[in-house]
């Protein structure tokens, strides 16, 4: 890359005593050791990662800590959504306890969303709370799951059903780490970037429509702008509604549909989380069009922009099927706010005008999904 690299940006998450910074930029990992030292009583940290990230990036993390003299104790899980399990949660806590960790120690989540979620939950439970730090290595985790303190594991009854709100001490989003991502994983993370434009920032959505190819090509300034803008958007929502009692639910645009697809597919790797969210956003806009909430032309523009980035937009063509409308609607009942055959959905009147639709009728949703599944 020949272009001049911009200095990393700092995004603040304002939560009173639990406020923290997100450092975003190419090479930001080099600041990890200096930022950790004030948190440590002894120069040792625990690092939870997965086997792929350990192979690709553990040397870089250790190099970032070496000038500060910080040693590491590392545990690596198998990669993939299925690692976000009760059995792994138990194994992580046993590892920490066996190594003598206490509340004055720090656990680093070094990986994608799976690692961040289960590491954060482990930290929240460890002797009723040890500090943890997010060092996300995927685009999806840099712009979404590493920010805001949502932690969880999955169950056979649904995704993220067991969890807690527990904030990190800081986040380092080094965009240089994204260079090792397979193109498919990069696109999956890009779905969450598009989400911020669709929620409440039509100008950002327009910028992504024009510059999405540069973001996906990891041009340093473009990817830094995309990640920093996304983090600012999420930080603002989290600061207003930390525990999802109101406006934070807007961040679930596409997720109620997407989580149902993931659960129906048993969280297998033929549908990545970001791919499910991308399709879920398309379905949310199309469902809104079917109910007279969203103009059909707007729904199809959203589908067109998402498709242009290589993400799925047709339920009938999604890998892992065949899917059934009744099954997907039944899985949507597992939404934490579902009540009596009705479920809240995040819908949109236009691009950048999303809102909480509190009580969508699941029978109507199932009929809509049946129509989507019948498309050629």
């Amino acid at each position: 890359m020949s272009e001049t690299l911009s200095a990393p940006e700092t995004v603040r998450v304002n939560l009173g005593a639990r406020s923290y910074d997100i450092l975003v930029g190419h090479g930001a990992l080099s600041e990890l050791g200096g930022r950790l030292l004030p948190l440590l009583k002894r120069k040792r940290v625990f690092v939870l990662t997965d086997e792929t990230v350990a192979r690709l990036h553990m040397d870089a993390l250790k190099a970032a800590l070496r000038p500060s003299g910080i040693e590491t104790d590392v545990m690596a899980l198998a990669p993939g959504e299925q690692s976000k399990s009760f059995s792994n949660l138990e194994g992580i806590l046993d590892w920490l306890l066996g190594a003598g960790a206490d509340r004055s120690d720090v656990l680093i989540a070094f990986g994608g969303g799976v690692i961040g979620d289960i590491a954060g939950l482990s930290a929240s439970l460890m002797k009723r709370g040890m500090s943890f730090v997010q060092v996300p290595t995927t685009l999806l985790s840099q712009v979404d799951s590493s920010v805001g303190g949502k932690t969880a594991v999955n169950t056979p009854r649904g995704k993220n059903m067991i969890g807690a709100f527990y904030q990190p001490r800081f986040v380092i989003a080094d965009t240089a780490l994204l260079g090792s991502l397979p193109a498919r994983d990069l696109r999956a993370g890009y779905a969450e970037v598009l989400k911020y434009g669709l929620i409440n920032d039509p100008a950002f959505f327009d910028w992504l429509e024009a510059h999405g190819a540069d973001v996906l090509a990891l041009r340093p300034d473009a990817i830094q702008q995309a990640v920093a803008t996304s983090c600012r958007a999420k930080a603002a929502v989290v600061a207003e509604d930390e525990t999802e009692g109101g406006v934070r639910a807007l961040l679930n645009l596409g997720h109620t549909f997407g989580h149902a697809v993931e659960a129906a597919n048993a969280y297998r790797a033929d549908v990545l989380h970001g791919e499910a969210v991308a399709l879920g956003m398309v379905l949310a806009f199309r469902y809104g069009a079917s109910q007279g909430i969203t103009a059909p032309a707007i729904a199809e523009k959203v589908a067109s922009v998402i498709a242009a980035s290589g993400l799925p937009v047709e339920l009938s063509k999604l890998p892992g099927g065949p899917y059934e409308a009744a099954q997907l609607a039944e899985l949507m009942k597992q939404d934490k706010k579902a009540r009596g055959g009705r479920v809240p959905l995040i819908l949109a009147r236009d691009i950048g005008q999303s809102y909480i639709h509190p009580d969508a009728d699941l029978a109507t949703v199932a009929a809509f999904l049946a129509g989507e599944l019948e498309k050629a």
Side-chain angles (χ1 to χ4, degrees):
M1 300 176 189
S2 58
E3 63 185 279
T4 302
L5 299 176
S6 298
E9 297 180 49
T10 298
V11 176
R12 185 72 170 169
V13 183
N14 289 307
L15 291 170
R18 296 180 310 286
S19 296
Y20 56 94
D21 288 337
I22 311 162
L23 187 67
V24 180
H26 190 98
L29 185 62
S30 64
E31 296 199 23
L32 178 60
R35 289 175 180 252
L36 278 171
L37 279 176
L39 305 180
L40 300 177
K41 290 187 176 179
R42 50 183 169 176
K43 290 188 175 183
R44 178 185 73 167
V45 292
F46 296 90
V47 182
L48 184 68
T49 188
D50 70 39
E51 293 161 355
T52 301
V53 173
R55 175 172 52 83
L56 293 171
H57 299 302
M58 188 56 67
D59 287 347
L61 184 137
K62 290 181 177 179
L65 297 178
R66 195 170 296 124
S68 302
I70 299 171
E71 297 182 350
T72 59
D73 190 331
V74 179
M75 180 177 183
L77 304 180
E81 188 73 25
Q82 290 176 320
S83 283
K84 215 163 79 175
S85 66
F86 272 116
S87 59
N88 277 336
L89 178 64
E90 181 181 11
I92 294 161
L93 293 170
D94 186 65
W95 161 59
L96 292 170
L97 290 167
D102 59 38
R103 295 178 68 178
S104 67
D105 286 309
V106 174
L107 176 63
I108 298 176
F110 188 44
V114 169
I115 292 298
D117 280 4
I118 196 168
L121 184 57
S122 300
S124 76
L125 295 170
M126 179 64 189
K127 298 187 177 179
R128 299 191 176 92
M130 69 183 291
S131 294
F132 89 111
V133 166
Q134 290 269 19
V135 184
T137 61
T138 66
L139 180 55
L140 190 152
S141 59
Q142 289 190 0
V143 302
D144 184 60
S145 59
S146 69
V147 180
K150 277 189 175 182
T151 73
V153 293
N154 300 331
T155 82
R157 296 185 181 276
K159 187 179 172 73
N160 297 332
M161 288 289 134
I162 307 299
F165 290 95
Y166 194 68
Q167 301 294 341
R169 298 298 298 270
F170 62 84
V171 180
I172 289 186
D174 187 342
T175 55
L177 299 175
L178 304 179
S180 65
L181 283 179
R184 183 184 173 206
D185 293 273
L186 190 64
R187 289 193 300 269
Y190 185 65
E192 297 281 2
V193 177
L194 288 163
K195 180 186 75 175
Y196 293 108
L198 291 172
I199 290 172
N200 62 4
D201 193 345
F204 184 44
F205 187 80
D206 289 344
W207 183 85
L208 291 169
E209 185 178 10
H211 299 282
D214 290 335
V215 175
L216 289 168
L218 298 179
R219 292 185 64 86
D221 281 353
I223 188 63
Q224 180 167 320
Q225 182 170 342
V227 173
T229 301
S230 299
C231 287
R232 280 193 294 270
K234 184 158 189 182
V237 172
V238 169
E240 184 176 348
D241 179 19
E242 182 180 3
T243 58
E244 202 174 62
V247 69
R248 184 167 177 172
L250 295 175
L251 297 173
N252 289 327
L253 176 65
H255 284 63
T256 303
F257 286 109
H259 284 171
V261 168
E262 287 185 280
N265 195 39
Y267 306 109
R268 291 190 298 266
D270 48 6
V271 179
L272 301 178
H273 174 67
E275 293 169 337
V277 168
L279 175 60
M281 292 190 295
V282 172
L283 292 174
F285 272 79
R286 286 180 177 162
Y287 177 77
S290 77
Q291 302 302 300
I293 295 165
T294 312
I298 292 298
E300 290 316 304
K301 177 181 179 180
V302 170
S304 177
V305 173
I306 290 175
S309 64
L311 288 161
V313 298
E314 299 296 345
L315 179 59
S316 60
K317 299 177 182 177
L318 193 70
Y323 298 94
E324 297 180 1
Q327 180 196 22
L328 292 172
E330 185 67 24
L331 287 165
M332 290 170 75
K333 286 184 181 178
Q334 299 298 326
D335 185 284
K336 291 178 282 294
K337 295 184 176 63
R339 296 287 187 276
R342 307 184 79 84
V343 66
L345 290 177
I346 309 306
L347 302 180
R349 298 181 180 89
D350 201 340
I351 292 168
Q353 294 182 23
S354 64
Y355 73 101
I356 302 168
H357 187 78
D359 59 350
D361 176 57
L362 280 172
T364 304
V365 173
F368 162 74
L369 291 171
E372 290 293 309
L373 285 165
E374 289 170 3
K375 289 183 177 180

